[in-house]
Amino acid sequence: MKGRGYAWILVAAALTGVRLLSQSAQPSTQPAAQTLTLRIIVTTSADEANRLVDRIHKGEDFAALARSESIDASASAGGLMGRLDLASLVPNVRQALAGIGPGQISPVVQIPTGFAVFQVVNDEAPAYSNPFSAASIAASAAVGSVKYVPDIGGLSEAEAVLRDFPKPAGWNQDPRAICQARQDSLSIGVQTFDTFFSPEAERVRRGRPPFELMQANLGLAQLLAYQGQMGRAIENYEKAYQLAASSVQAAVPQVEEMLGVAYLHRAAMDNGVFRSPGDLCLIPLRPALSYPKTADSEKAIQHFLKYLDGKPDELEVRWLLNLAYMTIGKYPDGVPAAYRIPPTAFRSAEDIGRFRDVAPEAGLNVFSTAGGVIVDDLAGTGRFDVVTSSFYSCGPVRYFGNNGDGTFTERTAAAGLAGQVGGLNIVQTDYNNDGCKDILVMRGGWEVPQRRSLLRNNCNGTFTDVTAASGLASPATSSQTAVWTDINNDGLLDLFVGNEDTHAQLFLNKGDGRFEEISHQAGVDRSSFAKGVTAGDFDNDGFADLYVSNYDGTNFLYRNNHNNTFTEKTLAAGVPGPGRGFATWFFDYDNDGWPDLFMSSYFLSVDESARTYLGLPHNAATLKLYRNNGNGTFKDVTKAVGLDKVFMPMGANFGDIDNDGFLDIYLGMGSPSYAALLPHVLLRNKEGQSFVDVTASSGTGELHKGHGVAFADLDNDGDEDIVAEIGGATPGDSHAMRVFENPGNGNDWISLRLVGVKSNRAAIGTRIKLTLEDDKGATRAIYRTVGSGGSFGASPLEQHIGLGKAARIADIEIWWPASNTRQHFAGVDKNQVIEIAEFGSGYQKVERKPIRLGGAKRAQ
């Protein structure tokens, strides 16, 4: 940013992903509206930009070059800015775009952030916007009339200043250097604005039009909100509002909403809701509950009501208004009837008992931004430990050891993890087959490329960063999703990584601690904006197949050819996905022995999710569930099972909350915007026939941002609890972790801890079939595959399996694909944990006594 001054943010507000306002917010003196859908590439020099123009004219793809070469915040989305009003652009850009048609590119244009070239996108073609660009608030040809949530909270601004900030060579290979760059760029970004608004710059400000001054106030407010400085942020939101009211009338509604959201966010902060949420974050909020201090909530209500006076049909602001009334204890009766969302919209059709958050008593005192979570036995004690990560570049990876008495103690420093910071997602593995679970940290998702970390478990309570030695460090990529699987059944776990800025990567485990990338020769090196990857044997041939869930279009299903190569079968198999995909997994939801495929859709739209609650038609694609037909194809059963819903899930996983043998789903909602307030959703699987929302009755509807999710029996009482890493994408949206303790259900269960011998030691990919017999001789089967569950959150590799009631285990069958051997065990008692080793003729019981989560603290 050196030498560029404040001007970069003013132009970026009109050109790049920093834009906050819809195009209707322009002064009335602007020319008549004409809109184009644009892509942009920004470089640091005119020569570099002209070289890219030559490459485009020679046939290279504009979007691919934007991802690899552009320094703009829109690079991760292929430079896509969405549809823009030409009247909103600065004159030299308008001139450069004059006469440019679909598919054509502009001359090189100098802008304050560098040298830009634009491409006009054919509006008839699918166009997926950068999710963190407020330009995506505008209409998009690909998704009709989806209304996107406004970007309130400053992530776009923070990413822009980080991209523009001068960084030393190799900075993204060191997590601590990444942290330092983040801190320094934020500091300079705020200083730039402070200088612009200083008394010394009054003469400069006097020459700027009101619209730019309004945008500058919003830019500073956003950077302050990013850091959680909501007092100062609101001051600048208010100044922007005054400028809008006096000179930019068209901008008033959107700034009105921004102010309402800012006040509502500060209300939660000042009432301690993010640090000590209790039931104050659970939707629907119980009538007897309200924030102790309500002044800011009441201000939020005033702004939302003013907004609705002019736009009474805006469902997003109606939704936020109802939430604000909940915080002051006046929902539903206090909400004006015209805007009221009825309590029936939240009601559960079934009651499975109320879960209780026990994280504070258990010592899991995590307060963090978005991040991943691992629950597994990492210390070899037979007990489940907990590890979390943080999206914020300076947020630590934290390790909590299980004390065996219902409490946890942080052991981050003792485990040698103090230098590990950042990382939106984490997953466990045993890549070297030493019997100790290792950790992979993924970084750079939604951001600039950053190095991942492979942390080797030393089997003595410590970890060593072996990323560079393993060959996984370079090049740095933007990723938050990866899956460990043995693609060739050699007993070594390989690694498949989904990236956002480059092609997917498949790393073959060489067995000596090193990995070899074989993506191209394996046929899986397609480039996409990948948000989820999973592995599963969909054709039951004993070899793991791969699936990629993409934010920017059709997903990819790769069938394993048994020779370290794969064939893409997406359309032939009938699993294209929702167009904007996120979390995904294989699981056998109906227990027919064939792995089915689930994926979430991800539209940054409170409006669309509110439509789900109110039973209104959708403009966006819903969740997707594909039932395996058993012949290499799938059937879309989304609507048939009641999953034709639009939420905003990031973290997601599956488990069996009621021990009936059918796998249920928990979705953690959220986006970077402080306006994206949607309760998490718990969906109960009803015997493989349908899914029913039991969120309200279970008390698991956390309102704030959800990320890593794991199902695990933390208290050894035979049912799975839900561990959820809560927190948004900015430090100002940090939140306490949730551990929802299962109230119990009385059904039987068994847990299987498998140990590979010829197969990988962690038994990942091993198949389990339980045959149950009731007292009348009727049988049914339950199927599981060893893995950590969904693509955002990691459950234990030990498989917890509900059995229902009054049935005996007639047979346990274990199929080890690497050795293609099967073991059978009959007469195994229920309600216990057992360990089975590959090729063994028997099993061992694992002693594990029930404990009370929270231990002595809770007993008090």
Side-chain angles (χ1 to χ4, degrees):
M1 292 176 55
K2 185 177 181 180
R4 298 187 180 181
Y6 76 91
W8 74 272
I9 193 67
L10 301 179
V11 178
L15 295 180
T16 71
V18 182
R19 178 88 196 240
L20 304 174
L21 299 175
S22 64
Q23 308 315 317
S24 62
Q26 296 299 313
S28 59
T29 56
Q30 293 288 350
Q34 178 186 353
T35 62
L36 291 176
T37 301
L38 299 175
R39 292 185 186 272
I40 186 173
I41 296 175
V42 182
T43 66
T44 57
S45 71
D47 288 344
E48 184 180 1
N50 282 310
R51 282 195 294 271
L52 293 178
V53 169
D54 289 340
R55 292 170 64 180
I56 295 166
H57 285 315
K58 291 177 181 178
E60 291 196 49
D61 182 68
F62 190 101
L65 285 174
R67 289 190 180 95
S68 62
E69 306 294 338
S70 180
I71 64 172
D72 186 67
S74 63
S76 59
L80 193 61
M81 300 164 63
R83 189 173 297 165
L84 300 176
D85 182 354
L86 286 179
S88 72
L89 305 180
V90 291
N92 64 324
V93 173
R94 288 202 303 270
Q95 183 178 357
L97 290 170
I100 303 296
Q104 296 178 332
I105 64 173
S106 73
V108 174
V109 183
Q110 185 171 5
I111 63 175
T113 53
F115 294 84
V117 59
F118 296 86
Q119 182 187 52
V120 177
V121 177
N122 183 351
D123 284 342
E124 295 179 358
Y128 295 96
S129 302
N130 180 344
F132 294 151
S133 167
S136 65
I137 298 169
S140 167
V143 293
S145 56
V146 172
K147 182 183 184 300
Y148 287 87
V149 64
D151 181 8
I152 305 169
L155 182 66
S156 292
E157 288 74 14
E159 291 304 312
V161 297
L162 177 61
R163 287 179 185 276
D164 201 50
F165 183 73
K167 299 173 284 288
W171 72 281
N172 59 4
Q173 287 290 323
D174 181 353
R176 288 166 293 190
I178 297 169
C179 166
Q180 191 65 52
R182 169 72 71 189
Q183 291 177 323
D184 291 346
S185 63
L186 280 170
S187 177
I188 290 180
V190 172
Q191 288 175 21
T192 300
F193 279 113
D194 285 342
T195 299
F196 175 63
F197 286 118
S198 69
E200 292 77 14
E202 181 180 358
R203 180 181 171 188
V204 175
R205 292 197 304 278
R206 195 181 306 127
R208 312 306 302 182
F211 182 78
E212 289 190 359
L213 294 175
M214 179 188 69
Q215 289 284 66
N217 274 286
L218 290 175
L220 177 54
Q222 291 282 86
L223 285 180
L224 294 168
Y226 174 91
Q227 299 173 81
Q229 299 179 35
M230 294 308 297
R232 281 195 65 196
I234 287 174
E235 289 178 8
N236 286 95
Y237 284 129
E238 291 280 11
K239 291 176 182 177
Y241 182 72
Q242 293 165 10
L243 285 161
S246 63
S247 305
V248 197
Q249 288 290 328
V252 169
Q254 193 159 351
V255 183
E256 193 95 63
E257 181 181 359
M258 296 177 81
L259 260 174
V261 170
Y263 276 115
L264 189 58
H265 193 82
R266 187 169 73 173
M269 293 181 73
D270 288 351
N271 281 281
V273 167
F274 291 127
R275 287 191 177 273
S276 302
D279 286 349
L280 288 174
C281 293
L282 301 181
I283 301 299
L285 199 64
R286 292 179 174 179
L289 293 176
S290 67
Y291 288 179
K293 295 181 285 188
T294 61
D296 278 340
S297 291
E298 290 167 356
K299 289 180 181 178
I301 288 170
Q302 292 172 12
H303 285 290
F304 294 146
L305 287 173
K306 285 182 183 179
Y307 182 103
L308 291 167
D309 282 345
K311 297 184 176 183
D313 296 328
E314 285 288 350
L315 187 52
E316 172 182 283
V317 179
R318 282 183 57 200
W319 176 271
L320 293 170
L321 176 69
N322 280 259
L323 296 182
Y325 270 107
M326 288 183 194
T327 68
I328 66 172
K330 293 184 179 181
Y331 172 87
D333 295 339
V335 184
Y339 307 136
R340 185 181 304 139
I341 294 176
T344 53
F346 303 102
R347 192 166 295 158
S348 295
E350 297 180 359
D351 188 352
I352 61 165
R354 192 162 181 93
F355 288 61
R356 179 178 180 272
D357 179 21
V358 297
E361 297 97 321
L364 291 169
N365 56 334
V366 177
F367 181 75
S368 176
T369 61
V373 64
I374 296 170
V375 181
D376 214 324
D377 179 8
L378 298 169
T381 62
R383 303 188 292 265
F384 294 143
D385 309 304
V386 176
V387 180
T388 65
S389 65
S390 175
F391 178 62
Y392 178 51
S393 304
C394 302
V397 171
R398 300 181 68 182
Y399 177 96
F400 293 86
N402 191 325
N403 298 322
D405 61 357
T407 66
F408 295 77
T409 298
E410 183 168 2
R411 298 190 58 257
T412 305
L417 298 176
Q420 296 295 330
V421 291
L424 184 52
N425 199 10
I426 50 179
V427 67
Q428 78 274 41
T429 183
D430 183 1
Y431 77 94
N432 56 359
N433 286 334
D434 64 357
C436 303
K437 295 181 181 67
D438 316 296
I439 297 172
L440 178 73
V441 182
M442 292 155 268
R443 300 185 179 92
W446 302 117
E447 296 186 288
V448 295
Q450 299 170 35
R451 193 203 78 175
R452 62 186 68 94
S453 288
L454 178 62
L455 309 175
R456 185 189 67 209
N457 192 326
N458 299 319
C459 301
N460 62 359
T462 67
F463 293 81
T464 298
D465 190 331
V466 296
T467 318
S470 71
L472 297 179
S474 183
T477 65
S478 295
S479 178
Q480 66 168 59
T481 184
V483 65
W484 294 92
T485 186
D486 183 357
I487 65 166
N488 53 11
N489 288 338
D490 65 353
L492 300 170
L493 285 170
D494 311 301
L495 178 64
F496 183 57
V497 180
N499 291 310
E500 300 169 7
D501 62 319
T502 186
H503 64 269
Q505 296 169 293
L506 178 60
F507 295 96
L508 193 68
N509 192 331
K510 298 174 69 69
D512 59 359
R514 297 179 298 149
F515 292 83
E516 175 189 2
E517 186 179 349
I518 61 167
S519 314
H520 181 67
Q521 53 266 47
V524 296
D525 61 337
R526 296 183 67 175
S527 294
S528 64
F529 200 82
K531 298 309 298 177
V533 297
T534 187
D537 183 7
F538 81 90
D539 51 5
N540 281 347
D541 65 354
F543 284 79
D545 311 299
L546 302 171
Y547 190 75
V548 184
S549 179
N550 296 314
Y551 186 82
D552 59 351
T554 300
N555 298 345
F556 309 142
L557 174 65
Y558 296 110
R559 183 184 180 274
N560 194 322
N561 298 324
H562 308 178
N563 61 0
N564 288 355
T565 70
F566 293 78
T567 300
E568 203 269 319
K569 292 286 187 181
T570 313
L571 298 182
V575 288
R580 289 193 177 181
F582 210 109
T584 186
W585 58 71
F586 287 99
F587 73 154
D588 190 351
Y589 83 93
D590 55 358
N591 281 323
D592 67 351
W594 293 89
D596 311 300
L597 188 55
F598 171 86
M599 67 217 60
S600 66
S601 63
Y602 189 62
F603 289 82
L604 302 179
S605 175
V606 170
D607 177 275
E608 288 294 321
S609 295
R611 289 173 179 272
T612 290
Y613 285 94
L614 293 172
L616 299 175
H618 289 294
N619 301 300
T622 68
L623 305 169
K624 288 293 181 183
L625 179 63
Y626 295 106
R627 184 179 184 272
N628 196 325
N629 293 323
N631 60 2
T633 67
F634 293 77
K635 179 182 179 181
D636 187 341
V637 296
T638 307
K639 187 173 183 179
V641 301
L643 289 180
D644 52 338
K645 305 172 186 296
V646 178
F647 296 118
M648 202 186 291
M650 298 186 76
N653 215 324
F654 60 88
D656 186 356
I657 55 171
D658 53 0
N659 278 344
D660 65 351
F662 292 93
L663 292 167
D664 313 299
I665 297 171
Y666 189 62
L667 303 174
M669 307 305 166
S671 88
S673 176
Y674 292 175
L677 295 172
L678 295 167
H680 300 191
V681 172
L682 183 58
L683 300 166
R684 178 177 176 262
N685 185 340
K686 298 186 67 173
E687 299 182 345
Q689 300 299 311
S690 65
F691 288 82
V692 61
D693 188 336
V694 294
T695 308
S697 63
S698 64
T700 56
E702 165 62 51
L703 179 64
H704 296 105
K705 313 305 169 52
H707 290 86
V709 172
F711 286 77
D713 184 6
L714 287 181
D715 51 5
N716 307 330
D717 64 353
D719 49 49
E720 290 190 298
D721 312 299
I722 300 174
V723 181
E725 170 80 322
I726 311 296
T730 71
D733 209 11
S734 297
H735 198 283
M737 167 180 273
R738 292 286 203 173
V739 178
F740 291 113
E741 182 185 27
N742 196 317
N745 46 68
N747 285 343
D748 296 318
W749 58 278
I750 191 167
S751 286
L752 304 182
R753 174 174 287 197
L754 304 185
V755 180
V757 177
K758 181 178 180 180
S759 302
N760 69 86
R761 184 76 176 268
I764 291 174
T766 303
R767 308 286 289 275
I768 300 169
K769 177 183 177 182
L770 263 66
T771 303
L772 305 180
E773 184 178 52
D774 65 21
D775 55 5
K776 297 180 180 179
T779 62
R780 73 176 178 111
I782 299 173
Y783 297 86
R784 296 287 187 272
T785 300
V786 176
S788 58
S791 59
F792 205 151
S795 300
L797 298 178
E798 178 183 302
Q799 295 298 293
H800 178 98
I801 305 172
L803 307 175
K805 284 188 175 71
R808 71 177 186 87
I809 300 174
D811 180 62
I812 299 177
E813 177 184 282
I814 313 294
W815 175 22
W816 302 86
S819 61
N820 197 23
T821 58
R822 297 176 190 261
Q823 297 165 289
H824 288 269
F825 302 91
V828 179
D829 291 336
K830 300 179 292 187
N831 303 324
Q832 63 172 334
V833 183
I834 63 173
E835 182 177 292
I836 298 173
E838 187 177 15
F839 306 124
S841 58
Y843 60 86
Q844 292 183 333
K845 182 176 181 178
V846 178
E847 295 295 337
R848 195 178 285 167
K849 296 181 180 179
I851 55 178
R852 188 176 179 84
L853 284 174
K857 291 182 181 179
R858 181 152 171 211
Q860 296 171 0

